[in-house]
Amino acid sequence: MLKEMFEYNKQFVKDERYKEFQTDKYPSKKTAILACMDTRLTSLLPAALGLKNGDVKLIKNAGAVVSHPYGSVIHSLIISIYELGVEEVLVIGHDDCGMQNLNSEKLIKKMHEHGITDVDIARSDGATGGIEDWLVGFQNVEEAVSGSVEIIKAHPLIPKNIRIYGLIMNPETGEVRQVV
Ligand SMILES: [Zn+2]
């Protein structure tokens, strides 16, 4: 897979196909989006919202969740706001998300099948504050998106003038509906 990508990349650069993507690091729509990493959204999400290269800061993870108030999502948002001029944050979850009803017990069983030992699990328990809770998904995407929006809104390091919205996308049609 990487080999194919390298070959493609060589040709891409040679043909100067990068020219249509040229922009700078400042998001022209002054917006940051936290979205799910779901493969159905990779091209669909920017296409359905009319976004082109350079328009937004796009932060992705499993489920579009802020799992920790001082984790990497908030870190990225703080950089986006203070260094890159972001004034609006959209949290975009989607229907049929893999994080919905994720079963941490089953996941831990799969870890065991991949050679992870109980000692490794126990060590991670301390670092995560309980691995089962850390791995857990959510029951309801509306609640998950609102929960993330609330964490961002209430965050002491996020300025109050930042507009924060929660949306849910249909992963087939790209249609969005607003939650918060
Ligand atoms: Zn998802």
Side-chain angles (χ1 to χ4, degrees):
M1 280 161 271
L2 178 61
K3 192 168 168 271
E4 269 170 48
M5 288 183 203
F6 266 128
E7 278 165 20
Y8 185 92
N9 180 254
K10 214 178 242 178
Q11 196 60 41
F12 179 91
V13 175
K14 197 176 158 221
D15 295 344
E16 300 186 342
R17 287 173 51 202
Y18 52 82
K19 282 188 171 168
E20 62 174 295
F21 299 100
Q22 280 174 337
T23 179
D24 61 34
K25 64 179 178 178
Y26 298 98
S28 51
K29 291 195 189 291
K30 298 187 186 300
T31 297
I33 294 179
L34 167 62
C36 182
M37 67 181 190
D38 192 291
T39 47
R40 291 168 293 179
L41 304 188
T42 306
S43 302
L44 179 68
L45 184 142
L49 299 176
L51 305 174
K52 59 180 194 316
N53 212 34
D55 277 350
V56 300
K57 291 285 150 195
L58 186 51
I59 304 159
K60 289 202 164 189
N61 67 20
V65 291
V66 180
S67 51
H68 193 284
Y70 291 92
S72 67
V73 170
I74 296 292
H75 184 266
S76 300
L77 285 177
I78 283 170
I79 306 292
S80 302
I81 292 165
Y82 293 105
E83 292 292 328
L84 302 161
V86 159
E87 295 170 357
E88 183 174 84
V89 177
L90 310 181
V91 177
I92 307 184
H94 65 99
D95 296 313
D96 188 35
C97 185
M99 284 291 278
Q100 211 157 334
N101 305 315
L102 183 79
N103 182 322
S104 54
E105 271 173 45
K106 272 191 196 161
L107 212 149
I108 290 169
K109 200 168 158 250
K110 285 182 192 167
M111 286 180 177
H112 283 131
E113 286 162 15
H114 281 78
I116 307 298
T117 65
D118 281 330
V119 175
D120 299 320
I121 305 263
R123 196 189 297 151
S124 308
D125 241 349
T128 56
I131 193 161
E132 286 193 23
D133 288 339
W134 182 68
L135 287 173
V136 85
F138 48 76
Q139 303 292 315
N140 174 304
V141 69
E142 277 85 3
E143 280 171 22
V145 168
S146 341
S148 293
V149 166
E150 288 315 313
I151 293 174
I152 301 167
K153 271 191 183 163
H155 202 284
L157 302 180
I158 304 279
K160 296 297 165 221
N161 61 334
I162 300 296
R163 300 182 302 275
I164 303 155
Y165 303 103
L167 303 167
I168 294 170
M169 180 168 273
N170 177 319
E172 303 298 324
T173 66
E175 184 180 16
V176 280
R177 59 184 192 272
Q178 194 169 338
V179 199
V180 189

